[in-house]
Amino acid sequence: MTAVTTDNRQVRLAARPVGMPKPTDWKLTSEPVREIADGEIAVKALYLSLDPAMRGWMNEGKSYIRPVAIDEVMRAGGIGKVVASKSSKFAVGDYVSGTIGVQQFWIGQADDEAGAFYKVDPKMAPLPKYLNALGMPGMTAYFGLLDVGQPKAGETVVVSGAAGAVGQTVGQIAKHKGCRVVGIAGGKDKCDFVVNELGFDACIDYKNESVREGLKTHCPKGVDVYFDNVGGEILDHVLAKLAMKARIVICGAISQYNNTTPVKGPANYMSLLVNRARMEGIVVFDYADRYHLGVAEMAKWMKEGTFKTREDIVQGIDKFPEALLMLFEGKNFGKLILQVADDN
Amino acid sequence: MTAVTTDNRQVRLAARPVGMPKPTDWKLTSEPVREIADGEIAVKALYLSLDPAMRGWMNEGKSYIRPVAIDEVMRAGGIGKVVASKSSKFAVGDYVSGTIGVQQFWIGQADDEAGAFYKVDPKMAPLPKYLNALGMPGMTAYFGLLDVGQPKAGETVVVSGAAGAVGQTVGQIAKHKGCRVVGIAGGKDKCDFVVNELGFDACIDYKNESVREGLKTHCPKGVDVYFDNVGGEILDHVLAKLAMKARIVICGAISQYNNTTPVKGPANYMSLLVNRARMEGIVVFDYADRYHLGVAEMAKWMKEGTFKTREDIVQGIDKFPEALLMLFEGKNFGKLILQVADDN
């Protein structure tokens, strides 16, 4: 018995990309949705999360998570609806968050680690928020900033990719903790958004102004915490402006993910010595047992109206390959999400 | 009244070097030793410490210490003997450690911060040891390793510049703390020394073997703590072999100090993310109020015979310019010291 009587369209990895992923690096496939077995559930994908980290998952080699295999359905976190269940864990109609993959339906054991599904409540927040501040980007921002960055009230926090999913959340958390917050983003619209809508103290438009000069202007006492999503030259500019005992949170390096030449290491890293500063990496999964704390605090701020998030939603599973590229071209404005189906 | 009736030969900075310091970047001068005034002392230089950090002091620009000015006597720590005193702090005949500069005599207020002199005891250890394990290199090693690196028994500690002043001390402290210790040094003699004389578990000869392969062989569980004195490619090789939650202590980057091209940043720095690792700078002066603890523990080990140091002593103040280059060419074997005078 199953409620599902349709095909499952899927996006699979066809080849390991060299540089920017090409259309031919993907394969769109379709297979019938099978009956579910005992203990299994079928989840209909509604929203999928598109993240810079996906580029890393497409490469071979040791990382914090195993690479997606060739011909495998591309890994993606998402929000879906349980449309069939032979498990006591989930009922038909439940909304869940988990690793759905870039496909219309996920089918498997309800308690399988591969899915790692947990229920979300559409009454508490609109479903896309669970892929943004209340999801992985939000948890990355929350624990990366607070646990690794350890900002103190009055300190200056700089965040790159400021209008992106992680960046917008980092900045707002830092404001809630009493910090001066300076964003770095590409374009006037994004900079206006984080300053006027999210309450950042300033934003440097790296596409139209000198990051070096901007840091000088907006961080007169130097940078105490830098939350880095981009790497590359911007990281070097911030290194040159560190305050004593500064902390750099290494969350990503989107400027380097599609390199065909070697990664540009931070030439100014000796500023760590001069300033007795530290640079540390963060992987969000390490904080899984404390996610609920981050969700609770940010949901409270959202209810108070002192915490906003913005999503950029692209429609249709077939759009996955081109939508992903928006991240690397800086074309998304807010958390990038792929809507796969309507909720009906 | 003064016991000093001679000239004071000095080495002054004549020009800011581009790349490796040239003979013309120095000026040898001589001036009469003046009478001392109330509160002053005259210190006769015996041994001067030659350190990689000196190269940084010769550059303009913000650092952890102000640059040496053009025409100023080159900064150097050293051990000397008080030969005249109008201060109650020191008596004629006292042996002292402080910032003497590259000159035969230092004269100034006994409590002047510029000298920062404190007494040392030649009966407790031979004077050159106070420029090695019982001096700045030793304190750098002790607090850099223990406070920043935080090694735990059973962990693997890797140190570059292993036969140098800081490196030999780092490795021996780590052995005392129950770690597996792998050195990286240039040449068979140095490697044999740290393994056979100092008790390191292994040493990779970067001049004659692949550092990458060496790390693979000698660090089967990855690198928990890396104490970096050299930067450059070796730092990248170690980054590629980090264990989870590894700590990198940034103490120096001797391979990059004489660059005329931009510093080579660590291209593998994203390993910090993958391994939730951290890279942190250390400046020894921050630990001044705890030096006595480091001295006490290492002096105890020396007395027990479980801690050795090696010095490489060059004779004559005129030799300073060429002796300094030995550091950057890896020609010194042990802590490099310039003997300026005999103790008489």
Side-chain angles (χ1 to χ4, degrees), chain A residues 251 273 276-279 281 286, chain B residues 251 273 276-277 279 281 286:
Chain A
C251 175
L273 184 151
R276 298 79 158 157
R278 143 186 126 205
M279 187 185 274
D286 296 349
Chain B
C251 175
L273 185 150
R276 297 80 157 157
M279 187 184 276
D286 296 351

Side-chain angles (χ1 to χ4, degrees), chain A residues 13-313:
Chain A
L13 185 63
R16 304 224 172 267
V18 177
M20 204 68 90
K22 296 178 303 296
T24 52
D25 294 329
W26 303 106
K27 186 159 59 178
L28 273 80
T29 60
S30 191
E31 61 182 31
V33 173
R34 64 169 172 81
E35 295 275 320
I36 62 172
D38 271 355
E40 287 191 331
I41 55 173
V43 176
K44 177 185 172 186
L46 299 176
Y47 298 98
L48 296 179
S49 179
L50 269 54
D51 299 284
M54 287 174 150
R55 183 62 188 80
W57 305 342
M58 297 162 75
N59 294 335
E60 237 164 354
K62 186 197 165 205
S63 187
Y64 62 94
I65 195 169
R66 73 164 180 79
V68 175
I70 295 295
D71 286 334
E72 190 181 1
V73 173
M74 178 61 190
R75 181 186 295 132
I79 303 293
K81 193 175 185 174
V82 176
V83 291
S85 174
K86 290 187 178 175
S87 157
S88 58
K89 268 192 85 178
F90 299 102
V92 170
D94 280 350
Y95 293 92
V96 291
S97 176
T99 305
I100 295 175
V102 186
Q103 57 184 349
Q104 292 178 297
F105 295 93
W106 183 93
I107 294 176
Q109 289 292 320
D111 53 6
D112 191 342
E113 270 189 29
F117 288 102
Y118 59 91
K119 288 184 210 175
V120 298
D121 182 356
K123 288 188 214 105
M124 190 166 103
L127 291 174
K129 305 290 181 199
Y130 287 99
L131 296 180
N132 195 2
L134 302 181
M136 288 306 107
M139 297 304 106
T140 303
Y142 190 87
F143 294 102
L145 179 66
L146 299 182
D147 269 55
V148 181
Q150 299 179 6
K152 290 183 274 293
E155 287 192 329
T156 299
V157 174
V158 172
V159 56
S160 55
V166 173
Q168 55 178 247
T169 302
V170 165
Q172 291 183 91
I173 298 170
K175 284 307 299 176
H176 273 275
K177 300 297 180 186
C179 299
R180 172 173 180 76
V181 176
V182 177
I184 303 175
K188 190 176 182 314
D189 287 353
K190 290 180 181 176
C191 280
D192 286 349
F193 167 68
V194 302
V195 172
N196 300 331
E197 299 290 317
L198 305 186
F200 286 31
D201 295 286
C203 188
I204 301 164
D205 174 4
Y206 75 87
K207 287 190 176 166
N208 297 298
E209 45 179 322
S210 152
V211 173
R212 194 169 157 276
E213 289 301 314
L215 290 167
K216 217 164 136 182
T217 304
H218 299 301
C219 309
K221 296 182 200 161
V223 178
D224 296 295
V225 177
Y226 176 48
F227 195 108
D228 190 21
N229 294 304
V230 305
E233 283 182 13
I234 290 177
L235 173 55
D236 264 328
H237 285 305
V238 178
L239 276 163
K241 277 296 291 175
L242 292 186
M244 289 285 281
K245 290 277 175 193
R247 291 80 69 195
I248 297 181
V249 184
I250 299 293
C251 175
I254 197 171
S255 71
Q256 307 293 308
Y257 289 173
N258 295 291
N259 278 8
T260 49
T261 52
V263 163
K264 187 203 163 315
N268 289 335
Y269 83 104
M270 286 297 284
S271 172
L272 297 177
L273 184 151
V274 171
N275 296 295
R276 298 79 158 157
R278 143 186 126 205
M279 187 185 274
E280 186 165 351
I282 187 242
V283 173
V284 66
F285 309 130
D286 296 349
Y287 300 90
D289 59 350
R290 290 166 57 205
Y291 286 168
H292 63 284
L293 300 174
V295 169
E297 187 160 25
M298 287 191 280
K300 180 172 76 84
W301 293 334
M302 282 183 190
K303 272 193 186 146
E304 294 170 1
T306 59
F307 194 95
K308 297 174 187 175
T309 68
R310 175 173 176 139
E311 293 83 34
D312 189 339
I313 301 182

Side-chain angles (χ1 to χ4, degrees), chain A residues 325-341:
Chain A
L325 296 185
M326 292 171 67
L327 291 169
F328 304 113
E329 292 160 352
K331 287 190 179 158
N332 60 305
F333 189 165
K335 166 63 191 161
L336 188 62
I337 289 175
L338 190 69
Q339 183 167 14
V340 175

Side-chain angles (χ1 to χ4, degrees), chain B residues 6 15 19 63 139 147 177 187 233 274 334 340:
Chain B
T6 180
S63 187
M139 298 304 106
D147 269 54
K177 300 296 179 185
E233 283 182 13
V274 171
V340 175

